[in-house]
Amino acid sequence: MITAILTMVFSWCLFSGQLPDSLLVPLCVLLGVLIAFVSRYGHSQSLSVDVLAQMSRLRTVNPMLKFWILFILMIVCIASANVYTGLFLLVAMLVMAVFVGGLPLSRYIRVLALPVSFLMIGGLALLFEISPSSMGVLNIPVPVFGFWLSVSAETQARTALVVAHALGAVSCLCLISLSTPMPDIISVLRRMRCPSVVIDLMYLIYRYIFILLTLHREMRVAAQSRLGFRSYRTSLRATGMIYSNLLARSYQFASKNYDAMESRCCDTGIRFLERPNRISLTHAMVAAALLAAALVLCFLPL
């Protein structure tokens, strides 16, 4: 809901003066309602990003190919001097994740909603500038200090470019996270000669995130079964006890894991079986087509 409201306000400020009000108002309302409906539709239980990556049909694509092509597309998007590249990547990544990868649209919108919300807040800060008079296409008076918060055509163009770059880059990051399980990402980093200590820490952190999430869920269910959230006061007490116990148990898990590794004389990197998929001709052609389209749009005039 917050993302939908921010989207309506941001769209109104961004296109104010560029479109007639008779068209701009229903367009902003329609966009906000669509985002609110899509993000709320689906099961109430949320799935982790790694589970969604395991469900994606794109998980069989070679992770090295996905990593490099999306990294290059991010660079092209950021280096672009127009908004076309970012908008193209936004649509292309949605098509790849939802229609090709088989991810539900509601799940994709939920994952994208959090970075988009921060982006809209930053975009509103870029849109408005302090002006001594009402010279912009949209003006908000501040009577206490005697100045105006104005939105001009220049700030609209600058904000549109920044937001398009950010949306394109964030969409690339969402696709790599929603189509590549964490073990494959770590495998790519290992092949790129990432330091062994960083790889080991990533494995351990990745493992214990799910252990602590499971432990937190069990503690919360136990507190609910004992009416620990029946009032505001008991909710505060139950929450404090849950997180204090969770901190103590995390130290216990870390100590036991260290003792287990020491007892096995673990002095090298943690190794797992890796079976990378080969790069097929179809996947290479699709990657080349995406890169070629992004490069063509990058050099288009404004």
Side-chain angles (χ1 to χ4, degrees):
M1 183 60 67
I2 296 178
T3 304
I5 295 175
L6 287 174
T7 301
M8 288 189 292
V9 175
F10 179 77
S11 301
W12 170 267
C13 296
L14 184 62
F15 296 106
S16 181
Q18 309 293 331
L19 298 175
D21 293 343
S22 58
L23 179 62
L24 182 58
V25 173
L27 181 63
C28 295
V29 174
L30 178 63
L31 186 61
V33 171
L34 181 63
I35 293 177
F37 174 77
V38 172
S39 60
R40 285 181 175 270
Y41 179 76
H43 299 288
S44 59
Q45 183 179 5
S46 60
L47 298 177
S48 66
V49 174
D50 193 70
V51 174
L52 296 176
Q54 294 287 351
M55 295 167 53
S56 176
R57 292 193 292 264
L58 294 175
R59 71 183 185 279
T60 58
V61 181
N62 185 275
M64 186 69 75
L65 175 63
K66 287 188 289 187
F67 180 86
W68 280 112
I69 191 62
L70 291 175
F71 179 73
I72 295 174
L73 286 175
M74 287 177 56
I75 295 177
V76 172
C77 178
I78 295 174
S80 176
N82 54 57
V83 301
Y84 308 126
T85 307
L87 296 178
F88 166 74
L89 289 179
L90 176 64
V91 176
M93 297 303 108
L94 185 146
V95 171
M96 293 294 294
V98 176
F99 297 99
V100 180
L103 184 70
L105 180 60
S106 59
R107 301 292 186 186
Y108 185 81
I109 296 297
R110 289 180 184 179
V111 173
L112 198 63
L114 183 60
V116 168
S117 299
F118 285 102
L119 181 60
M120 295 301 173
I121 296 174
L124 289 174
L126 290 174
L127 276 171
F128 286 92
E129 60 181 1
I130 299 176
S131 175
S133 59
S134 57
M135 299 295 293
V137 296
L138 181 63
N139 304 281
I140 299 178
V142 183
V144 177
F145 300 99
F147 59 82
W148 296 74
L149 292 177
S150 302
V151 176
S152 63
E154 291 77 11
T155 59
Q156 287 179 331
R158 182 176 66 246
T159 304
L161 183 61
V162 173
V163 170
H165 287 175
L167 284 176
V170 168
S171 299
C172 292
L173 290 176
C174 285
L175 182 63
I176 191 66
S177 62
L178 292 173
S179 63
T180 311
M182 184 58 68
D184 292 339
I185 296 177
I186 295 176
S187 175
V188 171
L189 296 177
R190 187 189 300 279
R191 295 182 183 182
M192 295 173 60
R193 301 296 187 269
C194 187
S196 178
V197 62
V198 177
I199 299 296
D200 295 345
L201 287 175
M202 290 183 66
Y203 270 124
L204 294 174
I205 292 172
Y206 170 73
R207 168 62 178 162
Y208 279 94
I209 282 176
F210 296 100
I211 292 178
L212 294 180
L213 284 176
T214 303
L215 187 61
H216 174 266
R217 183 165 54 248
E218 293 175 353
M219 290 182 178
R220 187 172 181 85
V221 171
Q224 288 177 343
S225 65
R226 293 170 174 82
L227 302 179
F229 297 96
R230 67 181 184 273
S231 64
Y232 180 75
R233 181 178 179 180
T234 57
S235 298
L236 290 179
R237 184 173 180 271
T239 302
M241 293 179 63
I242 288 174
Y243 284 105
S244 61
N245 292 332
L246 188 63
L247 180 62
R249 293 293 297 275
S250 64
Y251 278 112
Q252 292 178 3
F253 278 121
S255 178
K256 291 180 180 179
N257 185 74
Y258 178 78
D259 294 339
M261 295 177 68
E262 283 290 321
S263 64
R264 291 166 176 80
C265 301
C266 181
D267 57 353
T268 58
I270 302 176
R271 296 290 178 175
F272 293 88
L273 179 63
E274 298 177 359
R275 295 178 178 175
N277 300 306
R278 294 184 177 181
I279 300 177
S280 66
L281 180 60
T282 303
H283 297 161
M285 291 177 62
V286 172
L290 286 174
L291 181 58
L295 288 173
V296 171
L297 292 174
C298 180
F299 293 103
L300 287 180
L302 293 175

PDB file of all heavy atoms in Angstrom, residues 23-37:
ATOM      1  N   LEU A  23      -6.106  13.568 -17.910  1.00  0.00           N
ATOM      2  CA  LEU A  23      -5.461  12.288 -18.209  1.00  0.00           C
ATOM      3  C   LEU A  23      -4.517  11.847 -17.103  1.00  0.00           C
ATOM      4  O   LEU A  23      -4.380  10.651 -16.833  1.00  0.00           O
ATOM      5  CB  LEU A  23      -4.693  12.396 -19.535  1.00  0.00           C
ATOM      6  CG  LEU A  23      -3.934  11.151 -19.994  1.00  0.00           C
ATOM      7  CD1 LEU A  23      -4.898   9.987 -20.230  1.00  0.00           C
ATOM      8  CD2 LEU A  23      -3.137  11.449 -21.266  1.00  0.00           C
ATOM      9  N   LEU A  24      -3.887  12.824 -16.437  1.00  0.00           N
ATOM     10  CA  LEU A  24      -2.888  12.497 -15.421  1.00  0.00           C
ATOM     11  C   LEU A  24      -3.517  11.899 -14.172  1.00  0.00           C
ATOM     12  O   LEU A  24      -2.992  10.933 -13.601  1.00  0.00           O
ATOM     13  CB  LEU A  24      -2.093  13.759 -15.065  1.00  0.00           C
ATOM     14  CG  LEU A  24      -0.967  13.587 -14.039  1.00  0.00           C
ATOM     15  CD1 LEU A  24       0.042  12.558 -14.518  1.00  0.00           C
ATOM     16  CD2 LEU A  24      -0.288  14.927 -13.770  1.00  0.00           C
ATOM     17  N   VAL A  25      -4.650  12.443 -13.712  1.00  0.00           N
ATOM     18  CA  VAL A  25      -5.284  11.957 -12.487  1.00  0.00           C
ATOM     19  C   VAL A  25      -5.719  10.498 -12.604  1.00  0.00           C
ATOM     20  O   VAL A  25      -5.347   9.660 -11.773  1.00  0.00           O
ATOM     21  CB  VAL A  25      -6.466  12.866 -12.088  1.00  0.00           C
ATOM     22  CG1 VAL A  25      -7.234  12.260 -10.919  1.00  0.00           C
ATOM     23  CG2 VAL A  25      -5.963  14.255 -11.727  1.00  0.00           C
ATOM     24  N   PRO A  26      -6.500  10.128 -13.639  1.00  0.00           N
ATOM     25  CA  PRO A  26      -6.872   8.699 -13.720  1.00  0.00           C
ATOM     26  C   PRO A  26      -5.680   7.786 -13.977  1.00  0.00           C
ATOM     27  O   PRO A  26      -5.676   6.633 -13.531  1.00  0.00           O
ATOM     28  CB  PRO A  26      -7.859   8.658 -14.901  1.00  0.00           C
ATOM     29  CG  PRO A  26      -7.607   9.890 -15.660  1.00  0.00           C
ATOM     30  CD  PRO A  26      -7.145  10.920 -14.693  1.00  0.00           C
ATOM     31  N   LEU A  27      -4.635   8.304 -14.653  1.00  0.00           N
ATOM     32  CA  LEU A  27      -3.448   7.487 -14.893  1.00  0.00           C
ATOM     33  C   LEU A  27      -2.723   7.174 -13.585  1.00  0.00           C
ATOM     34  O   LEU A  27      -2.315   6.026 -13.350  1.00  0.00           O
ATOM     35  CB  LEU A  27      -2.518   8.201 -15.864  1.00  0.00           C
ATOM     36  CG  LEU A  27      -1.232   7.460 -16.245  1.00  0.00           C
ATOM     37  CD1 LEU A  27      -1.568   6.162 -16.973  1.00  0.00           C
ATOM     38  CD2 LEU A  27      -0.345   8.347 -17.118  1.00  0.00           C
ATOM     39  N   CYS A  28      -2.566   8.179 -12.724  1.00  0.00           N
ATOM     40  CA  CYS A  28      -1.907   7.956 -11.434  1.00  0.00           C
ATOM     41  C   CYS A  28      -2.721   7.031 -10.545  1.00  0.00           C
ATOM     42  O   CYS A  28      -2.161   6.130  -9.886  1.00  0.00           O
ATOM     43  CB  CYS A  28      -1.673   9.295 -10.734  1.00  0.00           C
ATOM     44  SG  CYS A  28      -0.514  10.399 -11.576  1.00  0.00           S
ATOM     45  N   VAL A  29      -4.035   7.235 -10.514  1.00  0.00           N
ATOM     46  CA  VAL A  29      -4.894   6.379  -9.694  1.00  0.00           C
ATOM     47  C   VAL A  29      -4.868   4.942 -10.205  1.00  0.00           C
ATOM     48  O   VAL A  29      -4.773   3.982  -9.426  1.00  0.00           O
ATOM     49  CB  VAL A  29      -6.333   6.925  -9.672  1.00  0.00           C
ATOM     50  CG1 VAL A  29      -7.270   5.955  -8.948  1.00  0.00           C
ATOM     51  CG2 VAL A  29      -6.366   8.293  -9.001  1.00  0.00           C
ATOM     52  N   LEU A  30      -4.933   4.780 -11.513  1.00  0.00           N
ATOM     53  CA  LEU A  30      -4.904   3.439 -12.096  1.00  0.00           C
ATOM     54  C   LEU A  30      -3.584   2.735 -11.796  1.00  0.00           C
ATOM     55  O   LEU A  30      -3.565   1.539 -11.468  1.00  0.00           O
ATOM     56  CB  LEU A  30      -5.133   3.532 -13.603  1.00  0.00           C
ATOM     57  CG  LEU A  30      -5.098   2.213 -14.382  1.00  0.00           C
ATOM     58  CD1 LEU A  30      -6.221   1.295 -13.906  1.00  0.00           C
ATOM     59  CD2 LEU A  30      -5.208   2.478 -15.882  1.00  0.00           C
ATOM     60  N   LEU A  31      -2.492   3.465 -11.881  1.00  0.00           N
ATOM     61  CA  LEU A  31      -1.189   2.868 -11.599  1.00  0.00           C
ATOM     62  C   LEU A  31      -1.076   2.443 -10.131  1.00  0.00           C
ATOM     63  O   LEU A  31      -0.586   1.353  -9.822  1.00  0.00           O
ATOM     64  CB  LEU A  31      -0.081   3.866 -11.948  1.00  0.00           C
ATOM     65  CG  LEU A  31       1.361   3.372 -11.846  1.00  0.00           C
ATOM     66  CD1 LEU A  31       1.593   2.204 -12.789  1.00  0.00           C
ATOM     67  CD2 LEU A  31       2.331   4.508 -12.169  1.00  0.00           C
ATOM     68  N   GLY A  32      -1.532   3.295  -9.224  1.00  0.00           N
ATOM     69  CA  GLY A  32      -1.483   2.946  -7.809  1.00  0.00           C
ATOM     70  C   GLY A  32      -2.368   1.772  -7.463  1.00  0.00           C
ATOM     71  O   GLY A  32      -1.969   0.874  -6.701  1.00  0.00           O
ATOM     72  N   VAL A  33      -3.592   1.746  -8.006  1.00  0.00           N
ATOM     73  CA  VAL A  33      -4.509   0.629  -7.739  1.00  0.00           C
ATOM     74  C   VAL A  33      -3.957  -0.667  -8.308  1.00  0.00           C
ATOM     75  O   VAL A  33      -4.054  -1.733  -7.679  1.00  0.00           O
ATOM     76  CB  VAL A  33      -5.902   0.941  -8.331  1.00  0.00           C
ATOM     77  CG1 VAL A  33      -6.800  -0.290  -8.262  1.00  0.00           C
ATOM     78  CG2 VAL A  33      -6.543   2.103  -7.591  1.00  0.00           C
ATOM     79  N   LEU A  34      -3.345  -0.590  -9.481  1.00  0.00           N
ATOM     80  CA  LEU A  34      -2.782  -1.793 -10.092  1.00  0.00           C
ATOM     81  C   LEU A  34      -1.647  -2.370  -9.245  1.00  0.00           C
ATOM     82  O   LEU A  34      -1.580  -3.584  -9.009  1.00  0.00           O
ATOM     83  CB  LEU A  34      -2.279  -1.459 -11.498  1.00  0.00           C
ATOM     84  CG  LEU A  34      -1.666  -2.611 -12.294  1.00  0.00           C
ATOM     85  CD1 LEU A  34      -2.710  -3.699 -12.540  1.00  0.00           C
ATOM     86  CD2 LEU A  34      -1.099  -2.106 -13.619  1.00  0.00           C
ATOM     87  N   ILE A  35      -0.768  -1.508  -8.756  1.00  0.00           N
ATOM     88  CA  ILE A  35       0.343  -1.979  -7.926  1.00  0.00           C
ATOM     89  C   ILE A  35      -0.169  -2.530  -6.604  1.00  0.00           C
ATOM     90  O   ILE A  35       0.288  -3.575  -6.127  1.00  0.00           O
ATOM     91  CB  ILE A  35       1.351  -0.834  -7.698  1.00  0.00           C
ATOM     92  CG1 ILE A  35       2.046  -0.467  -9.022  1.00  0.00           C
ATOM     93  CG2 ILE A  35       2.377  -1.216  -6.648  1.00  0.00           C
ATOM     94  CD1 ILE A  35       2.996   0.681  -8.905  1.00  0.00           C
ATOM     95  N   ALA A  36      -1.147  -1.873  -5.997  1.00  0.00           N
ATOM     96  CA  ALA A  36      -1.701  -2.359  -4.736  1.00  0.00           C
ATOM     97  C   ALA A  36      -2.400  -3.698  -4.918  1.00  0.00           C
ATOM     98  O   ALA A  36      -2.268  -4.606  -4.080  1.00  0.00           O
ATOM     99  CB  ALA A  36      -2.679  -1.332  -4.166  1.00  0.00           C
ATOM    100  N   PHE A  37      -3.116  -3.866  -6.018  1.00  0.00           N
ATOM    101  CA  PHE A  37      -3.836  -5.114  -6.260  1.00  0.00           C
ATOM    102  C   PHE A  37      -2.878  -6.265  -6.534  1.00  0.00           C
ATOM    103  O   PHE A  37      -3.021  -7.365  -5.984  1.00  0.00           O
ATOM    104  CB  PHE A  37      -4.792  -4.934  -7.441  1.00  0.00           C
ATOM    105  CG  PHE A  37      -5.481  -6.210  -7.855  1.00  0.00           C
ATOM    106  CD1 PHE A  37      -6.543  -6.706  -7.114  1.00  0.00           C
ATOM    107  CD2 PHE A  37      -5.066  -6.903  -8.984  1.00  0.00           C
ATOM    108  CE1 PHE A  37      -7.173  -7.880  -7.486  1.00  0.00           C
ATOM    109  CE2 PHE A  37      -5.682  -8.081  -9.363  1.00  0.00           C
ATOM    110  CZ  PHE A  37      -6.754  -8.570  -8.618  1.00  0.00           C
TER     111      PHE A  37
END
